[in-house]
Amino acid sequence: MKRTLNFNIFRYNPQDPASHPHMEAYTLQETAGMTLFIALNQIRELQAPSLAFDFVCRAGVCGSCSMLINGRPRLACRTLTESLPDTITLLPLPTFELIADLSVNSGKWMRAMSERLETWVHSVEETDLDRIELPMDPDLAEHIYELDRCIECGCCVTACGTAQMREDFIGAVGINKIARFKADPRDQRNDQDYYAVVGDDDGVFGCMSLLGCQDVCPKELSLQTQIAYIRRKMAFAGL
Amino acid sequence: MKMMITKHPSAWPARFDLMQSATGLFLALFMWLHMFFVSSILLGKDAMWTVARFFEGYFFFGTNFPLLVSGFVALIFSLIIIHSALALRKFPANWKQYSRFWQHMRSMRHADTTLWLVQVVTGFIMFFLASVHLYVMLSRPELIGPYASADRVWSLRMWPLYLLLLFAVELHGAVGLYRLAIKWGWFDRGDPQSTRRRLKTAKWIMSIFFLVLGLATLAAYIKIGIDHSANVGELYTPSWMEVQQ
Amino acid sequence: MKLIYTDVLVIGGGLAGMRTAIGVKRRGLDTLVLSLVPAKRSHSVAAQGGMQASLANCVKAAGDNEDIHFQDTVRGSDWGCDQQVARMFTHMAPKAVRELAAWGVPWNRVRKGEHEVVINGQRVTLTAPAKAHGLITARDFGGTKKWRTCYTSDGTGHAMLYTLGDQAVAASIPVEERKEAMALIHDQGRCYGAVVRDLISGELSAYLAKATVMATGGYGRIYGVSTNAIINEGIGQALALETGVARLANMEAVQFHPTAIVPAGILVTEGCRGDGGLLRDKDGHRFMPDYEPDKKELASRDVVSRRMAEHMRKGKGVASPYGDHLWLDITVLGEAHINKNLREVKDICQYFLGIDPSKEWIPVRPTQHYSMGGIRTDYRGESPWLSGLFACGEVACWDMHGFNRLGGNSVAETVVSGMLVSEYIADFCQKPENDLTVSTHLAAEFLQRETDKLKRLFTSSGDENAVAIRKRMEQILMEKVGLFRNGEHLREAVEELQQLLIRSRQISVASQAQGANPELVLAYRLPRMLKIAIGIALGALQRTESRGAHYREDHPERNDRDWLNRTLCHWNSEDDTLPVLDYEPLDVNTMELPPGFRGYGTKNIIEHPATEARQTQVDRITEAAPSDLNEQLMPFRHLLPEKYRGDNERLEDSNP
């Protein structure tokens, strides 16, 4: 089945004084196995050489290419056009600073989140690298990895009603990070320390449980469970 | 691998969050009970009279203490005020926030997101409508009874308020309870997503059940109100008392 | 003119760059990292299968140590590597894994008691001792004698990069994202930093530093189909080449990974085969044992890739609209194993192929994967020709991989080289003679040069199309500088690539946007990519032997007599269309492991005249078994920073 795809793509380059925000239409012949990565590159190569978008791994692991695809945030690289209707509307993620067209500065946001939540293993001991490593329960290691799989693509933040309204909300990505480090015995922080970074309305108590995050996460992380878990712990820590 | 500098955060955000949830939980469960009490009219005027007097302590003290009801209403009223005040923290605060949420909701087409707006709207409605009802209950608690309530619904033209309030309460309460379960991870064993699906189904069933019950109850009061419209102000005397006289 | 000063300028925010930045910061130096993309999106994040380190914790790793890891690495390199560097590396790898473990990487751990694994297509039960419970486990990988590849499911690179990225935040190391180095600032054999373009605003500025570190990864994307992230275009190597001073090495050593999916070219990890997956042909026949009876699917990558291509040439490939492919069968591993340890593979199969790998076979074929070659450095990571220019990770030819890299050795190299090179850089920076004495005039000159170049692109009246030239370059490399090479095709490739380079000087840019402008970016990067492409093709043309990943059908033998050396490549003048090649010999007389048969692949070797004598010498020393055997065979410990010289403890040491 050969279809002609109609793309409506947001175009705007804030650095270019001649540019103004608008939607531009492109048409493309669909080919078998076409992903939005392939489609956007074809549009750039043949129709719009200045079209800006971000792809890095193009394999669904780096989190660069999230955009609003027909209204919902998804990773463009692994979205097959056959899963979409004939008309495809692409917008940049609204939560992040726009660079140009479909490219947004999610990296800057994530770095700020990391600094704010101190998303690293806090430990004061120096490790003797010559010695055998400290053992860790295999199940615990797997559990930590499960929480560590977040690719910081920003889909959860974009899908979050709270984050849409309140710019300082840390989103599911941030709360999941806290769950990850809290699960990690190598991080010597206690609940009071975690409370200090997520125990307010910009943190876990800002979450209104709309679950947009859970439903769009491309890595299918257990965000709903983690947020509830951190909420319970932080509520207790706050009392 | 530096250690964090210890900050001294406020405990209030945690307390507020717990209070919002706790007041919400209490109010939602109370509203379900309340609906059962009110709907006792469907079992007959005597049943409703009995329930009403029960809460005035008639069966404990042998006489009515409407102040008991006033006190309880005052408690509910204050819980509602607290719950609303806490919920206001979550409301969109300005046009920009409203419009961003609206655009987001339309773009996402995501049920749980849309339901939140339902919460906001129904909550907002309840600020006003519930206050009117509660004030009457607070000031004239003795006027809860098969005739007095029916007169209020029909002859004092309160039925449009109750109709709106019914929808607001039953949607808001059920959605609120669903969200509470999600928020705190209740019933979350095993597969959270199937739990969520089940909770969602339960939420709809509860909303519909209580709406149907509420509409039937309201209809019953309207009917009594129409029949009793010539004698507005007369209080109901239970059938067995009439027999005794 | 915008000038930014720092002690150590790190270009590239992947594993190698991050570990280097953390290292120099810990030594008290000021540093900043430039990255084309948000650093956590670097290609390191895509490394799936794991990192080799001879911890010897799991059952099938018993008895493993640095010696065996070293020998595997040298054999894997087809004796093309620098053995001292390989020694330093294998000594450091366990320390690197343990450091990352302390910093937060959730390495998979040994579970005591019985567990089932798949070996050679059979289910086997292994029993792990209680004393190993909770220590870092490992999986099997190609070309190794022991199970040595430490992993976190199949997201090892992700877990490592996130941990290092987080540690960089903890250390307050600034990471300037969406910044591209445009030229190295240098004068009289000393590198002083780089001219940098802001990819958002388009602004050019000069970053001046005592030491400049290239950590920009490989050049896979000059091939039409590659497993690499699309940012891996060889720009780091090209910038070094464009200095005219620094040299690249072994550019012709390009690795093809056996299992990338068809047609997308996305990698599925070697862990698939390591964990027991099989390769099958169109008849469903498991063909690798026919070619490699000993290592089967787990010979080194160059060998497996070549055997696969050979088998497809015999008509045993599965025909598809995208060309022939073979099957990777991991159904034997079972759904539970795949869901836990190969979940990225599962995702990739689901999203890009629409199949469930626990039930269906995966269509794969060898695909460009890794560049063993790169900026030639000494063991300290510094360019011997351009002082102050350091390089580590895939961009460098340090040179521990020689002509073929073992799976799991690249992620290991990134952190190990980062650990080591950062120490050497700190030593370098702390010497008074290496203080920054650059004149702002020099910086201005370089800045102006780049400004003019960009201006020319905007105003050029040339009529060449960058996309068309790029596509042709990719096609030439795929067809003529691929897995099988021959003189005729290589000559044609060199010839035509030069034509493309000349044409690329006539590219014009239509979009006048100063900031984000993909058209402009391609226009200035393309000539750089072409220079790298020419370097590869010319190196491959001149190297008339077959070694590791470099395979010449017209010269199928490994010729130690004439080619036991490293290709060096430099570019004299901007107007040239060819680099100058010369050769750096590898000294058999200092090798701990003299050249021999790898144990897999075809045995077809022209011996080096000195090999036999050296082998006798090595055997004699080994037989005597002195306590300082390493020192007598090939000393390396003195090259390491003092704090890293200690022996690595293992379970067998602690519980004799």
Side-chain angles (χ1 to χ4, degrees), chain A residues 115-133:
Chain A
E115 286 173 359
R116 200 169 119 200
L117 302 186
E118 307 193 6
T119 61
W120 58 85
V121 164
H122 289 55
S123 140
V124 279
E125 294 123 34
E126 275 295 319
T127 316
D128 181 348
L129 302 183
D130 295 343
R131 303 294 303 274
I132 291 178
E133 65 277 9

Side-chain angles (χ1 to χ4, degrees), chain A residues 13 15-16 32 35 37 44-45 49-52 54-64 77-78 80 99-100 103-108 111 114-115 119-121 126-127 129-139 141-142 144-146 148-153 177 180-181 184 186 218-220, chain C residues 26 37-38 40-41 45 57 95 98-99 101-107 109-111 133-136 152-153 155 158-159 162 166-167 169-170 173 175 177-178 200-201 221 226-231 264-266 322 340 343-344 347 351-352 419 467 471 511 513 516 518-519 646-651 654:
Chain A
N13 187 343
Q15 295 288 321
D16 181 357
T35 59
F37 167 70
R44 177 145 93 189
E45 281 163 12
S50 65
L51 178 63
D54 292 323
F55 287 99
V56 179
C57 75
R58 62 80 180 86
V61 297
C62 79
S64 299
C77 71
R78 69 176 204 189
L80 291 164
I99 293 174
S103 169
V104 295
N105 205 339
S106 55
K108 185 175 163 186
R111 167 92 186 199
S114 273
E115 286 173 359
T119 61
W120 58 85
V121 164
E126 275 295 319
T127 316
L129 302 183
D130 295 343
R131 303 294 303 274
I132 291 178
E133 65 277 9
L134 290 175
M136 177 185 270
D137 182 77
D139 292 325
E142 282 171 17
I144 296 171
Y145 176 66
E146 198 55 47
D148 197 60
R149 291 177 62 239
C150 167
I151 56 173
E152 298 187 2
C153 62
K177 297 260 173 202
R180 181 249 176 270
F181 286 100
D184 196 331
R186 295 168 292 197
K219 292 284 139 184
E220 293 175 7
Chain C
R26 290 182 146 218
V37 296
K40 283 178 177 171
R41 316 225 190 280
V45 88
N57 290 328
K95 299 183 203 303
R98 286 166 177 171
E99 180 178 77
W103 286 1
V105 173
W107 297 112
R109 303 286 172 148
V110 176
R111 195 186 299 271
H133 185 74
L135 298 181
I136 296 168
T152 52
S153 183
H158 170 94
Y162 271 58
D166 288 340
Q167 288 298 326
V169 178
I173 295 168
V175 180
E177 298 171 355
R178 298 179 188 265
I200 299 177
S201 71
R221 278 289 154 179
S226 165
T227 64
N228 284 194
I230 59 163
I231 51 173
I266 296 167
Y322 307 99
K340 206 164 76 179
R343 45 194 311 166
E344 295 300 336
D347 268 12
Y351 284 100
F352 295 92
M419 287 169 88
V467 172
K471 294 246 155 181
S511 163
E519 192 186 4
D647 288 336
N648 296 308
E649 187 190 23
R650 292 190 177 77
L651 263 187
S654 61

